[in-house]
Amino acid sequence: MRKFYRAIIWAVMLAILPGCLLAQGVRITGRVISVQDGQPLPGVNIQVKGTTNGVSSDANGNYSINVPGSAATLLATSIGLISQEIAVGNRTTINIQMQESINELTQVVVTGYNTTQRKDISSSIASVSPDKFKDIPVASFDQALQGQAAGVQVSQSSGTPGGGLMVRIRGNTSISASNRPLFIVDGVPVENGALGGREFGGQTDNALALFNPNDIESIDVLKDASAKAIYGSRAANGVVLITTKRGKANQKTKFTADVQQGMIDIIRRPDLLNATELLDLQREAVINAGQDPDKLGLIRGVTDGQNTDWINSVLRKGVYQQYQLSTQGGNDKTQFYLSGSYRNEQGIQLNSQFTRYTGQFKFDHKATDKLSFGMNLTLSQVKNKRVKSDNFLDGVYSGALKSLPYYSPYNEQGRLYGPNDPEYGGFPNFNPVGQAVLPRFETYTIKMLVGLYGEYEILQNLRFRSKISADYNNITEDQFEPSTTAIGGFLPSVGGQGYGVFSSANVSKIVNTNTLNYSYQLAEKHHFSGTAGFELQQQFERRGSLQGRLFPSDDFTYIRSAGIVDQGDSYKNRNGLVSLIGEVRYDYDEKYLATITSRYDGSSRFGQNRRFGLFPSASVAWRISSEPFMQQFRFLNDLKLRTSFGFTGNEQIGDYQFLGTWASATYSGATGVGPAALANPNLQWERTREANIGLDASFFSGRLTFTVDAYDNLTNKLLFAQPIPQTTGFSTVQGNIGEVSNRGVELTISSVNINKAVRWSTDFNISHNQNKVISLATDQPVFRGYSGNGVSNTNVILPGQPLGTFWGLKFLGVDPATGDAIYDDKNGDGRITPDDGQVIGNAQAKLYGGLTNRVSWKGFDVSVFLQFSYGNSILNFTNTTLVNTGADIQSNQSRQALKRWQKEGDITSVPRYVFQDTYNNYLSSRFLEDGSFLRLKNVSVGYNLPKKWIERFKITNTRIYASATNLWTLTNYSGPDPEVSTLDGSTAAQGIDFFTLPQVKTVFVGLTIGF
């Protein structure tokens, strides 16, 4: 053991010795930046010409090197950069500006706790420049990724402003825990997903919509284990690193103003029956049931005397506007960035609106050659006016779809009808227009993201950096339903005199990160760099709510006026994470590259026996193009083969689930406490084993580049409710059971097709992921989703099948003789029962991706962005109501109902309509449709005014542009939108459209002025 410690001491001394020996002579410091954009360039080799003395620029482009005297010459080299020789002279500070020769290779990429150039990467990282979405009115960071990066699937769950999005990187890895990636903003893991405590019909808010996407400098997506393992137990779902803008050295202070204004509308309206068509259908169904439609009030010329288009009644064309002003600048010592923005988006549903104010400030200062420090501050406030939508029975959009066209939202005096008005005859039970404009559903959210850092150079190329950051979120939700709405005036439990809910929450996180970074160059061709660090994270959550009812009148809308306040809730959660991180990088002559990464995490979310875990990874890369035998292929600029292997984890579950807990209980009229959950001290994070192989290539001086990756990931120890004998008093215990695999291929191609007076470039990415549940506690199906007529649930989790698998009866068609549905009698017992349920499809896309073409000529530019998904199914659960062959006379019907069977010999896929007969409406593959689509996601046209027109006004640049999103969709899906998902973010029950509000199309004009 003593020999081991002695060896460690000698290794440390040998590592530090070169820096100590080089501490003699003249010390030169400086920064390496790009000529093109002024950004710092890490990983540039700085060498004293004619010697083996060399260093590499750090993550911020800084370097320091000792030279023998003023006659020395510095040599700056890097693949993709034009080499430079700089005479030292009498200077001690030398800033170097490098000219790019191949843009793709010199692109700076954030790799976790460091940055590097793309040429030095041996892992799988996708980068998204803000130029790719600058003309798209994205509301959040995650929306900016849609269709832009291979292996990243982003779906907007509905057209609700500020609403949730589903983000998946290389598939779903978990069943019970979160599948959202880890989002890091300026080094801080921020809240993502839903912040609010209320979901409306499965739809939630989006915490990332609190940020301003126009502040983004770069987005880097870490996809394989080598890239992600530095984040350990939180990285299994991928990591998205977002770097916001900051000041630039040696740049004159400049200001940029941006204005956008436009209109918002629904992408496609559902096609419903008018009053006469619906009446004829209902009469036919009643007659088929052997009853008299006149006795049910279905009388021609009377019942259909009114014809209301309820969709047009609850929807509108909204107004979109966004304004931003920013300034940035700096010198060698100090840089700054300051911005402020305002965004207002009217929802297409009446009374819905998303309003956001944001401000950002960044400050960086180099106090001495060795010491630098800085801060970042982001403030935002959001007011989100929401309306009940989607699968709520009393929702606005769902109510408009179902409401009978026989009725009007207003009486003859212009007053909104209420749920108890006799004119409605008991159906529909409420007025969807009133449900939109009368209630108050307002969410107020305040976010503060702040960070302070200091960095000190201990020795040459040995830097210590410490940063403390906080992410604070305050959420207030205010709801009031007056007596004129369905809940406030109809539900017996409320009492018919109004209903109110007020809730408040604080969600905050504090992170302290300390790292040591060291880089060293040996004998010209050997380059080493390493990072070691310690990180501590604590998260706090407090929530509380109150409910009130029996208000004196609808003029009193707050809880303090409620006659009865008899329900409420409050709780506090806290969790922590302590981590050790380490990374070592090596390259030989920029030809052979290797990286070893590891993180040791301890999480308070897991049991005492499994609280700590190690997450290692390794990757190697071979730049084949640097070999002598490749020099004959002059058209090839870069060819790199890379592979990686490692482990990551997922700890995104609720707190305290490993504990045996007690809760309040009532028995025989007495209140006390009783056991609520069993303890499991062995509960631990899910673990994903990841293997990746990739190839990067660049041709014709960067005119054509492509990247291809293949991966094989296996997640085991799934966090899952393990069934146990009920004789224990419990049915499940939280455990680690089961496996899920994801295998796939990704391809990214970028090309500059024409590069003359006209420049035409193309970016294309396509991905294939195969998801499969390998094993669970048993082979028995686990049902999820909605209950369906005739079967148990819409979705199933089953070994051998992917997550998102649909379950139901297999629909074989319509009997031409009788008009009744034909189902597959799977068990052969001669009856159609829930036992005949089977797998009927899945929501996983076989292929997905995006295609962008950009053309510029003189001052004009045009961009066209297409997004696509192929091979996924979508369950049109809406049609169980709107093509309901049981003819529920309290709901309107889709125009598809006109294709129904009516007489013997009819060939159709829609069974006959029979009033109150549910057989033909069993949940089956009749409601499952192809969800593939090709969408024209964005078209933008811009013009940059010639500088000679604007220089006299001291304006540096002016751009006028117009942009449109979601203009056109090619799909076989019969619903309004194939991309929606009612249960926002659900893993097991994805791909369901149940009265989900379609996405919107936005058309706007913009003006950007720089001065």
Side-chain angles (χ1 to χ4, degrees), residues 964-976:
T965 62
N966 297 329
L967 285 180
W968 170 81
T969 303
L970 175 65
T971 183
N972 291 324
Y973 181 59
S974 64

Side-chain angles (χ1 to χ4, degrees), residues 809-812 822-827 832 836 838:
L809 299 174
K810 186 176 181 180
F811 178 69
L812 302 178
I822 304 174
Y823 302 110
D824 179 24
D825 183 10
K826 184 182 178 182
N827 60 9
I832 300 301
D836 295 311
Q838 57 188 286

Side-chain angles (χ1 to χ4, degrees), residues 166-407:
M166 185 197 76
V167 184
R168 298 291 183 266
I169 298 177
R170 293 186 169 180
N172 297 282
T173 64
S174 180
I175 296 176
S176 300
S178 171
N179 278 286
R180 286 183 65 84
L182 177 67
F183 282 84
I184 308 288
V185 179
D186 292 330
V188 185
V190 297
E191 293 296 323
N192 67 87
L195 275 176
R198 304 297 305 279
E199 59 159 291
F200 287 173
Q203 297 298 312
T204 64
D205 62 337
N206 184 3
L208 294 179
L210 291 162
F211 292 95
N212 177 17
N214 288 338
D215 285 329
I216 294 177
E217 181 70 43
S218 65
I219 301 178
D220 296 288
V221 183
L222 313 185
K223 298 189 291 184
D224 72 341
S226 176
K228 299 186 301 181
I230 198 73
Y231 290 102
S233 64
R234 299 169 293 167
N237 301 320
V239 181
V240 181
L241 302 175
I242 298 163
T243 304
T244 59
K245 296 176 182 177
R246 62 190 330 122
K248 298 179 180 179
N250 300 316
Q251 181 187 74
K252 182 181 178 181
T253 300
K254 69 174 185 178
F255 295 85
T256 302
D258 190 82
V259 177
Q260 297 177 353
Q261 289 187 338
M263 300 294 294
I264 304 171
D265 199 3
I266 192 172
I267 59 171
R268 181 181 172 189
R269 280 170 163 73
D271 196 3
L272 304 175
L273 301 182
N274 60 37
T276 301
E277 292 170 331
L278 178 63
L279 179 65
D280 289 342
L281 176 65
Q282 291 176 333
R283 288 181 60 86
E284 176 186 318
V286 172
I287 293 172
N288 286 343
Q291 301 182 40
D292 184 357
D294 291 342
K295 293 182 179 180
L296 294 177
L298 302 173
I299 304 171
R300 288 191 178 100
V302 177
T303 305
D304 56 348
Q306 171 74 29
N307 186 29
T308 298
D309 188 333
W310 285 101
I311 296 296
N312 285 339
S313 297
V314 300
L315 300 184
R316 64 182 175 186
K317 290 185 178 180
V319 176
Y320 163 78
Q321 51 186 328
Q322 180 165 283
Y323 310 94
Q324 174 165 317
L325 178 64
S326 64
T327 180
Q328 64 181 159
N331 52 34
D332 288 343
K333 295 290 186 181
T334 305
Q335 301 90 43
F336 71 92
Y337 175 81
L338 177 65
S339 74
S341 73
Y342 167 77
R343 179 188 179 101
N344 186 284
E345 181 181 347
Q346 281 186 336
I348 57 173
Q349 294 182 109
L350 297 177
N351 206 31
S352 64
Q353 190 170 20
F354 178 82
T355 305
R356 180 183 66 202
Y357 301 86
T358 68
Q360 177 152 321
F361 175 66
K362 276 194 173 181
F363 171 81
D364 300 282
H365 180 68
K366 188 173 184 180
T368 68
D369 290 342
K370 292 188 175 184
L371 175 65
S372 59
F373 59 86
M375 69 164 295
N376 61 275
L377 174 65
T378 299
L379 295 173
S380 65
Q381 177 179 327
V382 166
K383 178 182 179 181
N384 195 353
K385 296 179 67 175
R386 306 175 68 185
V387 297
K388 283 192 173 180
S389 188
D390 298 335
N391 63 336
F392 266 91
L393 297 179
D394 60 338
V396 175
Y397 180 70
S398 58
L401 285 172
K402 295 186 294 181
S403 288
L404 301 173
Y406 311 147
Y407 300 97

Side-chain angles (χ1 to χ4, degrees), residues 61 143 239 335 400 525 562 696 731 815 853 897:
Q143 192 177 1
V239 181
Q335 301 90 43
K525 295 185 178 182
D696 304 323
S731 59
D815 188 340
N853 279 282

Side-chain angles (χ1 to χ4, degrees), residues 500-533:
V501 179
F502 187 89
S503 62
S504 179
N506 284 291
V507 181
S508 59
K509 183 181 299 181
I510 298 176
V511 183
N512 176 231
T513 305
N514 303 276
T515 56
L516 274 172
N517 293 284
Y518 181 70
S519 62
Y520 177 64
Q521 179 176 320
L522 176 65
E524 298 186 24
K525 295 185 178 182
H526 299 274
H527 304 95
F528 301 86
S529 65
T531 299

Side-chain angles (χ1 to χ4, degrees), residues 74-91:
L74 298 182
L75 177 63
T77 60
S78 182
I79 290 180
L81 297 174
I82 299 175
S83 301
Q84 286 195 52
E85 294 187 9
I86 306 103
V88 173
N90 295 322
R91 294 177 293 177

